[in-house]
């Protein structure tokens, strides 16, 4: 497999090919996912919940993220590596520069930030300095206390329209990828069609340009609960690499997510 870049993902969107993404936090799983042909790996601040046993992503630090990014980098040859910017690590532009530099130096090829159009200036400044940005809208876990829990976002017409406008603004600011989490399927489709950049969904329906899952959910080993939008691919295969290959093929064929995994 040729080395995957942001240009690769953009070309896939233009050709109507689905993008498969998964989280990883260490070299062993990263190597397995890379060899299976996954297009991108996210070192998610989800590690706070699935690795550290926290009840949210908020306690995760930039140092935590950098450590796990270094681990993943050592296992990857071709897959694009994206690292989450954790809670309050980009409250100011200067803080964002420092945090992003640490994650890029640890091995990331792109960083991910949660938030709407208020991030525009920061994204533009990061891109100007050579740091590719993935934006994240919908259920943004770092805002869980504002939302009052992990709830589907964008069901009201005004909030859906605001999310579409935010997505367009983030693209204009320079974001090269967008993650949509826990939103109605129709809204996921509308945003994917409105943008030139690839849109990756997690609980955002089947009409986004690709899918991402937390690896613990995709392998049925989450310690808390199995989200509605996930599927245990290990149960279908009995082998981890085969499970990831099935996930990739099911996304590529448009079979995952199924109707049972989406929000209306």
């Amino acid at each position: 497999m040729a080395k995957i870049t942001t240009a690769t993902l953009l070309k896939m969107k233009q050709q109507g090919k689905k993008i498969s993404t998964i989280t990883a936090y260490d070299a062993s799983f990263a190597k397995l996912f890379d060899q299976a042909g996954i297009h991108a790996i996210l070192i998610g601040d989800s590690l706070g919940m699935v690795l550290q046993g926290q009840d949210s992503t908020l306690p995760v630090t930039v140092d935590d993220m950098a450590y796990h990014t270094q681990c993943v980098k050592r296992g990857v040859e071709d897959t694009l590596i994206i690292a989450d910017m954790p809670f309050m690590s980009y409250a100011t532009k200067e803080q964002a520069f420092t945090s992003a530099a640490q994650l890029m130096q640890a091995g990331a090829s792109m960083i991910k930030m949660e938030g709407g159009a208020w991030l525009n200036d920061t994204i533009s400044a990061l891109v100007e300095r050579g740091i590719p940005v993935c934006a994240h809208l919908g259920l943004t876990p770092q805002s869980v206390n504002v939302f009052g829990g992990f709830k589907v976002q964008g069901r009201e017409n005004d909030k859906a329209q605001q999310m579409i406008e935010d997505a367009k603004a983030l693209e204009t600011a320079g974001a090269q990828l967008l993650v949509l989490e826990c939103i109605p399927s129709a809204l996921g489709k509308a945003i994917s069609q409105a943008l030139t950049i690839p849109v990756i969904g997690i609980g955002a329906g089947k009409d986004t340009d690709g899918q991402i899952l937390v690896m613990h959910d995709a392998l049925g080993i989450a310690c808390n609960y199995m989200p509605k939008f996930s599927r245990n691919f290990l149960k279908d295969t009995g082998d981890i690499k085969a499970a990831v290959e099935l996930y990739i093929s099911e996304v590529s064929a448009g079979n995952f997510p199924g109707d049972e995994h989406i929000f209306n």
Side-chain angles (χ1 to χ4, degrees), residues 21-253:
T21 310
I22 198 167
T23 67
Y25 315 94
D26 66 29
S28 298
F29 277 108
K31 185 173 184 177
L32 187 149
F33 297 159
D34 181 76
Q35 291 176 342
I38 204 80
H39 300 116
I41 287 174
L42 170 70
I43 301 98
D45 58 2
S46 49
L47 69 87
M49 300 172 81
V50 298
L51 296 189
Q52 298 175 341
Q54 309 280 7
D55 61 3
S56 76
T57 64
L58 304 190
V60 177
T61 66
V62 178
D63 286 343
D64 290 337
M65 294 303 308
Y67 170 77
H68 288 281
T69 300
Q70 288 174 339
C71 294
V72 166
K73 174 65 174 176
R74 295 184 190 116
V76 165
E77 289 187 20
D78 298 319
T79 304
L80 180 72
I81 298 175
I82 307 168
D84 263 336
M85 296 264 274
F87 179 64
M88 290 300 287
S89 66
Y90 47 98
T92 66
K93 264 195 271 193
E94 290 69 26
Q95 195 179 18
F97 298 158
T98 303
S99 302
Q102 187 175 348
L103 296 180
M104 295 293 284
Q105 289 168 342
S109 299
M110 173 179 250
I111 57 93
K112 182 168 78 63
M113 307 165 75
E114 298 181 8
W118 62 271
L119 279 173
N120 287 355
D121 290 345
T122 300
I123 290 173
S124 295
L126 286 169
V127 173
E128 283 172 359
R129 287 157 179 80
I131 298 173
V133 176
C134 173
H136 184 158
L137 290 172
L139 173 56
T140 45
Q142 292 174 18
S143 302
V144 62
N145 291 315
V146 174
F147 294 148
F150 295 95
K151 300 176 179 178
V152 178
Q153 302 297 308
R155 279 189 159 142
E156 302 86 355
N157 287 338
D158 58 333
K159 291 183 178 177
Q161 189 57 43
Q162 182 61 55
M163 203 178 299
I164 293 171
E165 295 307 316
D166 278 343
K168 290 178 179 177
L170 292 165
E171 178 180 63
T172 300
Q176 291 176 279
L177 202 62
L178 174 66
V179 169
L180 294 176
E181 182 169 354
C182 284
I183 64 170
S185 177
L187 180 55
K189 182 177 182 178
I191 293 175
S192 300
Q193 291 177 342
L195 300 190
T196 304
I197 61 172
V199 176
I200 310 297
I202 177 166
K206 61 174 62 182
D207 296 305
T208 53
D209 303 304
Q211 301 293 327
I212 183 167
L213 287 177
V214 173
M215 59 164 276
H216 293 69
D217 294 338
L219 300 177
I221 53 173
C223 60
N224 296 320
Y225 77 105
M226 179 66 78
K228 171 185 170 71
F229 52 73
S230 192
R231 171 177 156 190
N232 181 354
F233 289 90
L234 183 59
K235 184 179 178 183
D236 297 327
T237 60
D239 176 83
I240 293 175
K241 187 177 180 186
V244 178
E245 289 170 344
L246 177 62
Y247 165 56
I248 294 168
S249 66
E250 289 286 81
V251 170
S252 178

